[in-house]
Amino acid sequence: MAGESTLPGWLDRWLTLKQPVTYWSFWAALLRLLPLFVLPFLVTVAVVTPAFAVRAFAPLPFVLVAATLGYAVRAFDGVGALVSVLIAALYSFLLGVTGVGESVVSQPTPLLSVLAVLAFVALLAGFGSPTLHGQRGDDEFAAARRRWED
């Protein structure tokens, strides 16, 4: 049964992207995953320190932005790509102003390496998202390219 999910029904519905996939629906789907990171964040706060938890999880939004940027590039969505780049720039600015960015770079945590790899994978997954979400073939890619060329 290749088409059947082994996940419980409610979890499968929660993780499934609604069709058609757009830049904004992709963002919404990624934001639905944030509760999965709340428990590890709270455990880190309880076990170590809040400052360490913030420093460890600060790069996480870049993973989401990388995925949406990849999707925007795949869909030739200039506005989506611009939004993703602006979000990344604004978040980088906020990290720099608050000093968290310098702390992350000067005292990296093991999670930083994991998040860096996840950001790269997210960029590739965003680019390949139509294929990953059951839209096999290049029809959507070709249509997006034609719209972009027009």
Side-chain angles (χ1 to χ4, degrees):
M1 312 290 164
E4 289 186 29
S5 174
T6 58
L7 298 173
W10 65 270
L11 184 59
D12 189 42
R13 283 188 302 276
W14 184 62
L15 292 173
T16 301
L17 286 173
K18 305 298 183 248
Q19 299 295 329
V21 179
T22 65
Y23 176 79
W24 297 108
S25 70
F26 195 58
W27 254 118
L30 288 173
L31 292 176
R32 282 195 317 247
L33 297 177
L34 286 182
L36 296 176
F37 297 104
V38 170
L39 182 62
F41 179 78
L42 293 176
V43 167
T44 305
V45 167
V47 172
V48 189
T49 63
F52 180 82
V54 168
R55 194 171 80 236
F57 284 86
L60 182 62
F62 289 116
V63 175
L64 305 178
V65 170
T68 58
L69 178 62
Y71 181 84
V73 168
R74 165 73 183 200
F76 291 98
D77 183 355
V79 173
L82 180 63
V83 168
S84 291
V85 168
L86 287 175
I87 289 171
L90 177 64
Y91 186 66
S92 297
F93 174 76
L94 291 174
L95 288 178
V97 167
T98 60
V100 173
E102 182 180 342
S103 176
V104 166
V105 174
S106 65
Q107 300 171 351
T109 63
L111 189 57
L112 181 61
S113 300
V114 171
L115 289 174
V117 170
L118 280 177
F120 179 72
V121 170
L123 182 65
L124 294 178
F127 186 78
S129 60
T131 303
L132 292 174
H133 302 301
Q135 299 171 355
R136 308 242 188 269
D138 284 339
D139 296 339
E140 180 184 334
F141 184 68
R145 179 149 177 94
R146 281 193 299 276
R147 284 191 307 270
W148 180 74
E149 288 174 344
D150 290 341

